[in-house]
Each structure stands twice: as C-alpha cells, then as structure tokens.
Amino acid sequence: MAEAFRFLSGLHLDLRMDWKVVCFLLVCGVSVSLQAKIPNAYKKYTASTEGCPCWWDLTKTTECGCCKEGVNAMQCGYPKHKYCHKKTKIGCPGIPANKFTLSSKGYPCFTEKERVTDCAWCIPGRYQCSGKKKAMCSTGKLKQCDAVMSDCHHIPHSCDVNASCVPNGKFQKQTLYKCQCNDGYTGNGIQCFDSEGNMGVDPKQMVSVTMKVNSDYYLYPHTPDQFPNGALLDSLISEMSAANNSCTSNECEVT
C-alpha cells in the first residue's frame, strides 16, 4: 500500500509539473506570436503596437505603438503608427515619400478652408501635396504635385485656436514657422489642451445644430391667426435673433 501511494503521489506530481510546462509553453507561444506581428524593421524599437497616444493626432490616446526606452527610438506617423523606428529627421520606412513626409495624415490641408487634419505632416521646409497626393510631401516642384510650404505661415489655419505661429529656424535661407501652444496649454500646436485635458474649439468653425421642439397650447374660444408659438419657442426665436444680430459681416449667419 505504501509503495502504491508513493507511486500515485509521484504520478500526480508529474502530471502537475506537466501542466506547468504546458502553461509556460502556451504563454511563451502567445508572446512570440505577438512579437511576430512586429516587422523586423521596427522590432528593435517597438515595445508594443498600441497603448500610447499618437503624436500626429493627440485625440487618439491609445491607438499608436509604444517605443522601447534606451534605443533612440521615435514613434512613426500614419500609416505605420503602430510601430517605432530609429530616431531620424525623416519619416519611418513605409510612409509615402518618407524622405519628406513624417505622417500621411494629421496636418490641416492647405486646400481646405476648414481645419481638416487629413493631409500629410511634412518635414520642416518641405511642401504639402494636394488632391490624390495629399498623403505625401515633396520638394515643391510642380511636376511632383500641386503644393505649398507646409507650415503655419503658408497654411494660416494650421494652428489650434490656443496656439501661435512662431519662427522655427531656416531652411535654405527661408524662414520656417511652426505652431506652438500658448502658455497654459500643451500639445503639438495643431491640437492644444488646457490643464483639464480639454481641446480648444475654433469660434469660426462652422457647426450644424438640429432641434425639434414640441409645443402644446389650448385656446378657447378659437380665434383665427391667434395660435401662438408658446413660451419655449418664443424664447428660442428671440435668442437666435439676438445671435444673428451679433454678426456684423457676412462671416456668420444664423438661420
């Protein structure tokens, strides 16, 4: 009986050890699988493919890759935003025209009057393309694309409402400019946040508001043309009229 007990105990221990080995192999397998998703060009510099804010769009707080520390790494721009690469003055491999382009989106488009941040973020001194090539930057030669210098001096609506356009050195004897968040705000200049994490809203930005107001009113005896709007709707009409009267030019209209 004693011999049998020792045999069964040993078997139980072996089985338990086998499960530990299996679990260890599974964990390692998952880790290797996740690491395999990172291409070799970025593996040395990328800690994870998500969990960090995107430098080119700070509203995306966890959708970009996190870089390893101590390897002189930089986070890549779109569409390689899941990875990091060796820190240089040009864009990461895989980004269109990366010698001139840091990110294929994130910078306001010079062709749009509104602040649509759907165009390329260029290396200082390079030109933002338009149309079908808006996701890349160039040297500015017309044969490459219709473009303008990609800074806030040439694209006036680039900066956040709480940022200023300031000099940023020179490139080939030409003064460059960049958007810089004002005191009390942090961000990349295109997007600035206050101490509570709120991003500013441009007062000139066009917005559309749709409201549905129901008003019940009972009138007896009934008199033609005497059915009123009601107190709530009369108040709303009055406030909208006041807002419309505040427009001193054709820049705004309330309808």
Side-chain angles (χ1 to χ4, degrees):
M1 287 295 291
E3 293 294 331
F5 179 75
R6 281 196 295 270
F7 172 76
L8 292 174
S9 298
L11 180 61
H12 176 70
L13 178 61
D14 290 340
L15 288 174
R16 186 169 56 189
M17 291 300 293
D18 288 344
W19 275 112
K20 288 183 178 180
V21 172
V22 171
C23 291
F24 175 76
L25 292 175
L26 286 174
V27 171
C28 290
V30 172
S31 177
V32 171
S33 177
L34 290 174
Q35 188 69 8
K37 293 182 180 180
I38 303 175
N40 289 332
Y42 310 101
K43 189 176 295 185
K44 178 180 177 181
Y45 308 96
T46 307
S48 63
T49 57
E50 60 183 10
C52 287
C54 304
W55 65 263
W56 48 274
D57 186 350
L58 297 175
T59 63
K60 301 182 184 300
T61 57
T62 61
E63 297 177 28
C64 284
C66 300
C67 302
K68 293 181 180 179
E69 297 182 0
V71 293
N72 194 32
M74 68 176 187
Q75 187 190 81
C76 298
Y78 187 88
K80 297 299 180 180
H81 55 290
K82 296 291 186 181
Y83 312 120
C84 299
H85 198 259
K86 182 179 180 180
K87 190 175 182 179
T88 62
K89 293 183 179 180
I90 63 175
C92 293
I95 292 177
N98 72 307
K99 290 184 178 181
F100 315 116
T101 311
L102 296 175
S103 177
S104 289
K105 63 168 58 175
Y107 204 89
C109 306
F110 79 90
T111 56
E112 303 291 338
K113 294 182 179 180
E114 304 298 324
R115 295 187 74 250
V116 180
T117 55
D118 199 31
C119 286
W121 196 303
C122 303
I123 293 168
R126 297 308 181 181
Y127 291 70
Q128 186 189 89
C129 295
S130 61
K132 295 181 178 180
K133 295 185 177 181
K134 68 178 183 178
M136 58 175 282
C137 304
S138 73
T139 59
K141 297 180 180 179
L142 291 178
K143 67 179 181 179
Q144 294 178 325
C145 66
D146 181 19
V148 300
M149 179 75 75
S150 181
D151 64 17
C152 51
H153 181 70
H154 297 87
I155 309 178
H157 58 281
S158 298
C159 299
D160 184 270
V161 65
N162 294 308
S164 302
C165 187
V166 299
N168 186 35
K170 290 190 175 184
F171 179 78
Q172 297 179 349
K173 298 182 179 181
Q174 185 171 2
T175 301
L176 303 177
Y177 294 85
K178 68 175 181 178
C179 295
Q180 180 175 292
C181 295
N182 298 332
D183 292 342
Y185 295 86
T186 57
N188 55 22
I190 307 301
Q191 299 163 314
C192 298
F193 301 82
D194 62 19
S195 58
E196 297 181 354
N198 300 313
M199 188 169 66
V201 178
D202 188 349
K204 296 182 180 179
Q205 183 176 349
M206 184 178 296
V207 296
S208 177
V209 178
T210 301
M211 293 183 294
K212 183 178 180 180
V213 179
N214 295 322
S215 178
D216 295 328
Y217 190 84
Y218 180 75
L219 182 65
Y220 181 84
H222 171 67
T223 304
D225 302 325
Q226 287 190 2
F227 190 83
N229 295 317
L232 180 61
L233 191 55
D234 281 337
S235 176
L236 178 61
I237 293 173
S238 177
E239 291 180 8
M240 292 184 66
S241 297
N244 190 43
N245 292 334
S246 67
C247 296
T248 57
S249 63
N250 292 329
E251 294 182 356
C252 64
E253 180 181 1
V254 180
T255 58

